[in-house]
């Protein structure tokens, strides 16, 4: 049976956490009818500008991200002790997480690095580089008390120059943010803060590399 994790107003630790998970594994404690209330859906939208790069700006194709085990789909992953995982009950992403990450990366890096970041449907465009993404972590990590709850993000990028298939750079970016509250809104807000930190770091990195993706004039 699936084991959805429900946030509580106060810290849940040790025996209390185990009891909560055992109860939720067998269904909701309170019945709301046949189907129950609908899940709250959360986006991962970049909050910066819609910036237009110049006509001569390098073009970078953004691949579909590869997701680490347990991160695909629309469930919000919860990391538990003992190498166990669950999902946040009553909340989910508004689209498959790989789609949300790709849109976020394309828009954030286009804004911060001054390149044309082309996502889905852009394979026929003459691009100078290809950007690959591996999402190692994008998950909620409950702590031993409410003050220790956090989210963690880890994303590995691969920038490949298409003219000679050269791997230009291959960094990993990480960030965490505290969860300030006991509801899905608090978790989603922490994810937005962590992603904003990661986007700043990724933007500085790509801005330093973007000239490598310029296509030589014929």
């Amino acid at each position: 049976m699936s084991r959805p994790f429900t946030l509580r107003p106060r810290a849940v630790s040790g025996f209390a956490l185990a009891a909560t998970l055992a109860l939720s594994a067998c269904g909701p404690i309170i019945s709301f009818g046949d189907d129950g209330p609908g899940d709250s859906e959360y986006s991962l939208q970049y909050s910066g500008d819609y910036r237009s790069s110049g006509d001569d700006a390098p073009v970078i194709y953004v691949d579909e991200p590869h997701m680490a085990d347990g991160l695909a789909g629309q469930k919000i992953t919860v990391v538990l002790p003992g190498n166990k995982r669950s999902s946040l009950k009553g909340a989910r992403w508004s689209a498959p997480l790989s789609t949300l990450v790709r849109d976020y990366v394309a828009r954030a890096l286009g804004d911060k690095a001054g390149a044309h970041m082309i996502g889905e449907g852009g394979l026929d465009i003459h691009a100078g580089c290809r950007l690959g993404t591996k999402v190692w972590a994008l998950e909620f990590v409950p702590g031993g008390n409410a003050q220790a709850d956090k989210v963690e993000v880890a994303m590995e990028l691969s920038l490949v120059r298409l003219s000679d298939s050269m791997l230009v750079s291959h960094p990993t970016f990480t960030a965490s943010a505290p969860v300030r509250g006991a509801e899905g809104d608090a978790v989603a807000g922490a994810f937005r803060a962590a992603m904003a930190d990661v986007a700043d770091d990724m933007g500085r990195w790509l801005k330093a590399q973007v000239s490598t993706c310029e296509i030589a004039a014929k």
Side-chain angles (χ1 to χ4, degrees):
M1 289 181 288
S2 62
R3 302 176 63 167
F5 182 88
T6 306
L7 277 172
R8 300 296 184 189
R10 56 182 182 276
V12 179
S13 61
F15 176 78
L17 176 58
T20 298
L21 291 173
L23 287 171
S24 64
C26 297
I29 298 174
I30 301 174
S31 174
F32 292 91
D34 292 340
D35 298 323
D39 290 345
S40 296
E41 294 191 353
Y42 296 96
S43 68
L44 202 61
Q45 191 172 28
Y46 175 65
S47 60
D49 294 334
Y50 290 95
R51 184 170 300 180
S52 297
S53 299
D55 292 341
D56 59 346
V59 177
I60 299 174
Y61 179 75
V62 183
D63 275 326
E64 181 77 12
H66 294 281
M67 313 302 292
D69 183 40
L71 297 181
Q74 291 179 249
K75 293 181 179 180
I76 299 178
T77 299
V78 179
V79 176
L80 300 174
N83 251 356
K84 297 178 181 178
R85 291 185 172 230
S86 184
S87 59
L88 195 61
K89 188 176 181 180
R92 65 176 181 172
W93 296 115
S94 58
L97 190 53
S98 59
T99 299
L100 297 181
V101 169
R102 183 178 191 172
D103 290 347
Y104 193 103
V105 168
R107 190 173 157 207
L109 296 190
D111 178 28
K112 295 176 180 294
H116 294 293
M117 309 298 294
I118 308 298
E120 185 176 0
L123 279 173
D124 56 343
I125 290 176
H126 192 194
C129 286
R130 194 176 191 118
L131 181 71
T133 306
K134 172 75 175 188
V135 180
W136 289 108
L138 213 158
E139 50 208 14
F140 170 50
V141 185
N145 54 63
Q147 289 69 40
D149 291 349
K150 63 181 179 178
V151 300
E152 293 185 344
V153 174
M155 298 173 60
E156 177 184 308
L157 300 186
S158 302
L159 186 66
V160 177
R161 187 169 61 203
L162 295 178
S163 62
D164 57 1
S165 299
M166 175 185 172
L167 179 62
V168 177
S169 186
H170 186 222
T172 298
F173 300 93
T174 63
S176 64
V179 176
R180 305 293 192 190
E183 302 297 335
D185 289 358
V187 177
F191 276 121
R192 286 192 292 271
M195 286 295 291
D197 288 344
V198 165
D200 286 341
D201 292 340
M202 291 191 301
R204 285 189 288 270
W205 161 76
L206 186 58
K207 192 170 185 178
Q209 310 291 336
V210 73
S211 62
T212 304
C213 302
E214 295 174 352
I215 299 173
K218 295 183 179 180

